[in-house]
Amino acid sequence: MCRFITTTVTMVVRTYNEEMEYLEKLDGVSWRIKKGFVPNMKKSIGLPDVHSGYGFAIGNMAAFDMGDPEAVVSPGGVGFDINCGVRVLRTNLSEKDVLPVKEQLAQCMFDHIPVGVGSKGIIPMTAQNLEEALEMGMDWSLREGYIWAEDKEHCEEYGRMLQADPSKVSSRAKKRGLPQLGTLGAGNHYAEIQVVDEIYNNFAAKKMGIEFKGQVCVMIHCGSRGLGHQVATDALVAMEKAMKRDKIDVNDRQLACARISSQEGQDYLKGMASAANYAWVNRSSMTFLARQAFAKMFNSTPDDLDMHMIYDVSHNIAKIEEHMLEGKQRTLLVHRKGSTRAFPPHHPLIPVDYQLTGQPVLIGGTMGTCSYILTGTEQGMADTFGTTCHGAGRALSRAKSRRNLDYTDVLAKLQEQGISIRVASPKLVMEEAPESYKNVTDVVDTCHRAGISQKAIKLRPIAVIKG
């Protein structure tokens, strides 16, 4: 029997029943425990931002016991945009410093960072460079001079998954990824100039270098672009064949999976790790470009502007982790899809800077709404295997957003809020309008009250750069 390891989150349900009812009315996807996803699955955990997606729901977490020979890995439990994630840089600038040049700064960021569908990177990249980046992750960026050494310390997995094997990434995936490295893309990805709006935990904020309200930060949200999408697509094709061979039956082909110990399972994990490394290099390249844009605008250097990275989190990834279950330490393969790792204080896998606060958890809002920085908790380790929400979660499908909203209205509302925006395709902003998403504050407050993460900082945008 394939043993699927999880716990329930009834505490969250009791804390915020209204969210449950809203989700059920929305699209029929409840974040109550759902059974039958994959062979012999017991249950899965949905976070308050949960909504329907390919395979597993987005806002989902599932863990499998690595000691079980029939345990499986599922690309639908990770997502197509492998290692889609968020990083935040702080600065020593205040909102007053930025406001007089906000429009120019937004334009400078837009000019520096390639955005939009089909955008091509400006970081020099050869086929050999790509092979090395897939294997080395942020170690490649460090070697090439695009990041600071400390950036690695403030990133999940230190910006490199060691099991990566570029030979498990198809030539088609590499062809898609080669021109896109260092690009933001489109959809829900963005780079935002934000200011600290509220500080809930002064001790944690100071550990992150946040000293005052109005302090300017930069948030970058993107993933592995076409390369990650192709890695997932290739794996799904291979796993459909493997399921017939191994007599694995699922109730939906989107839940295609393979035993972790199988060749297909191992190939996917190695390819996924390579795509994750690509995503970290991608965010690192845009970090370099954002630092250059700020330095140019303020006639300074990134170091003088204190543009240090607070942290980088992954939203779509599967990792081998150690967790306590029924009083015993177990090795689990934890799938997080549209959810964020949130490890507690004193955990050995978080940076020394945050040993007393817990891991920073970066929760991005949608275009024009606030974002949050949370910290991980011991209760989260017990209830959700160190996992919390990742954002607001969609309330309207992209198609419904396009039908119901007018992009000129969306842009006008942003202007009324004093938010500068630069977009490659204005009509696409309808899909990412605040009305298309749930209220991120409600989602964060749900997790905070449930104790699976704690609020530390609230950020609000003053400029948005999107595809």
Side-chain angles (χ1 to χ4, degrees):
M1 294 287 287
C2 166
R3 188 171 182 197
F4 179 86
I5 304 296
T6 185
T7 62
T8 63
V9 282
T10 52
M11 179 178 297
V12 183
V13 175
R14 295 191 191 106
T15 305
Y16 201 59
N17 285 320
E18 296 86 356
E19 180 73 12
M20 284 290 305
E21 293 169 5
Y22 174 69
L23 283 167
E24 289 171 349
K25 291 176 182 176
L26 178 66
D27 58 8
V29 176
S30 168
W31 69 293
R32 297 181 197 274
I33 302 309
K34 298 192 74 178
K35 297 184 179 181
F37 277 175
V38 293
N40 303 309
M41 175 183 276
K42 290 184 178 180
K43 43 201 171 183
S44 67
I45 294 173
L47 285 307
D49 51 343
V50 73
H51 55 287
S52 59
Y54 186 98
F56 288 29
I58 300 164
N60 216 173
M61 172 266 152
F64 292 86
D65 186 355
M66 293 287 289
D68 187 335
E70 295 192 14
V72 298
V73 58
S74 174
V78 171
F80 283 95
D81 193 2
I82 295 167
N83 193 12
C84 176
V86 171
R87 68 175 48 184
V88 173
L89 314 175
R90 68 174 189 256
T91 76
N92 56 18
L93 298 167
S94 71
E95 185 174 10
K96 291 180 180 178
D97 296 325
V98 170
L99 284 180
V101 294
K102 185 180 64 168
E103 292 295 338
Q104 297 95 312
L105 181 58
Q107 187 63 46
C108 191
M109 288 271 287
F110 188 73
D111 292 341
H112 275 68
I113 299 174
V115 303
V117 177
S119 54
K120 296 184 178 181
I122 59 174
I123 301 292
M125 181 65 55
T126 65
Q128 181 60 36
N129 290 150
L130 180 62
E131 293 285 330
E132 294 169 353
L134 292 173
E135 180 180 356
M136 298 171 64
M138 284 176 64
D139 282 331
W140 181 87
S141 300
L142 180 61
R143 188 191 73 185
E144 299 297 315
Y146 294 118
I147 62 169
W148 302 344
E150 68 175 48
D151 290 349
K152 273 177 50 65
E153 299 296 315
H154 292 159
C155 185
E156 279 189 43
E157 303 294 318
Y158 299 100
R160 178 180 185 178
M161 294 190 81
L162 296 177
Q163 65 266 50
D165 182 351
S167 71
K168 304 303 181 183
V169 178
S170 68
S171 58
R172 184 175 183 183
K174 291 172 183 175
K175 184 177 180 180
R176 292 182 67 180
L178 182 60
Q180 293 183 333
L181 196 59
T183 65
L184 194 62
N188 64 341
H189 296 159
Y190 58 78
E192 286 189 356
I193 303 168
Q194 304 175 336
V195 297
V196 175
D197 199 44
E198 296 286 347
I199 297 176
Y200 305 103
N201 185 327
N202 283 300
F203 179 73
K206 287 187 182 299
K207 287 291 183 182
M208 298 176 201
I210 299 300
E211 300 287 344
F212 57 93
K213 290 175 66 171
Q215 187 170 343
V216 172
C217 297
V218 178
M219 179 176 281
I220 298 172
H221 175 210
C222 66
S224 50
R225 305 288 278 117
L227 182 138
H229 195 286
Q230 192 64 48
V231 167
T233 301
D234 293 340
L236 287 166
V237 173
M239 287 184 183
E240 283 193 7
K241 297 176 182 178
M243 286 194 299
K244 293 179 181 178
R245 180 195 67 210
D246 296 335
K247 296 180 173 57
I248 296 175
D249 185 38
V250 294
N251 61 11
D252 191 317
R253 63 177 297 185
Q254 293 186 7
L255 299 168
C257 58
R259 294 195 175 100
I260 296 171
S261 57
S262 70
Q263 185 65 53
E264 292 81 5
Q266 288 297 304
D267 285 352
Y268 170 69
L269 287 173
K270 292 173 182 177
M272 181 212 69
S274 300
N277 287 346
Y278 178 98
W280 279 314
V281 174
N282 195 32
R283 289 199 285 277
S284 295
S285 299
M286 282 181 279
T287 297
F288 171 79
L289 297 171
R291 283 170 171 161
Q292 293 300 306
F294 267 74
K296 179 179 179 180
M297 278 302 305
F298 291 96
N299 194 27
S300 185
T301 68
D303 191 40
D304 287 340
L305 294 173
D306 193 36
M307 295 191 73
H308 296 272
M309 195 166 90
I310 292 177
Y311 206 60
D312 179 296
V313 297
S314 306
H315 291 160
N316 293 356
I317 205 160
K319 292 185 187 178
I320 298 171
E321 297 175 358
E322 300 293 323
H323 289 273
M324 296 300 295
L325 187 72
E326 299 170 350
K328 295 181 180 179
Q329 183 169 311
R330 306 288 284 274
T331 303
L332 310 179
L333 180 63
V334 181
H335 295 61
R336 293 189 180 95
K337 180 182 180 182
S339 56
T340 312
R341 193 187 78 174
F343 282 174
H346 312 300
H347 195 285
L349 293 183
I350 62 176
V352 65
D353 306 30
Y354 304 130
Q355 283 292 304
L356 298 179
T357 65
Q359 176 205 311
V361 181
L362 312 176
I363 308 298
T366 187
M367 187 175 57
T369 66
C370 59
S371 298
Y372 288 87
I373 301 178
L374 317 178
T375 53
T377 66
E378 286 289 355
Q379 188 168 335
M381 286 297 284
D383 288 352
T384 59
F385 297 114
T387 307
T388 192
C389 63
H390 86 301
R394 294 199 72 90
L396 298 176
S397 69
R398 297 183 187 279
K400 189 173 289 187
S401 295
R402 289 194 298 270
R403 287 196 301 269
N404 295 353
L405 301 173
D406 184 274
Y407 77 94
T408 57
D409 293 338
V410 176
L411 295 176
K413 286 182 181 179
L414 290 173
Q415 189 173 11
E416 288 174 11
Q417 294 174 258
I419 299 171
S420 302
I421 183 165
R422 297 293 186 279
V423 290
S425 178
K427 292 187 178 181
L428 289 181
V429 302
M430 295 178 293
E431 298 177 5
E432 303 306 317
E435 295 89 342
S436 300
Y437 286 81
K438 288 176 274 184
N439 187 310
V440 68
T441 298
D442 288 346
V443 170
V444 167
D445 284 346
T446 300
C447 295
H448 178 84
R449 290 197 297 268
I452 60 175
S453 52
Q454 293 292 308
K455 292 194 295 185
I457 300 163
K458 178 182 177 182
L459 303 160
R460 62 176 169 83
I462 58 173
V464 180
I465 289 86
K466 287 188 70 70

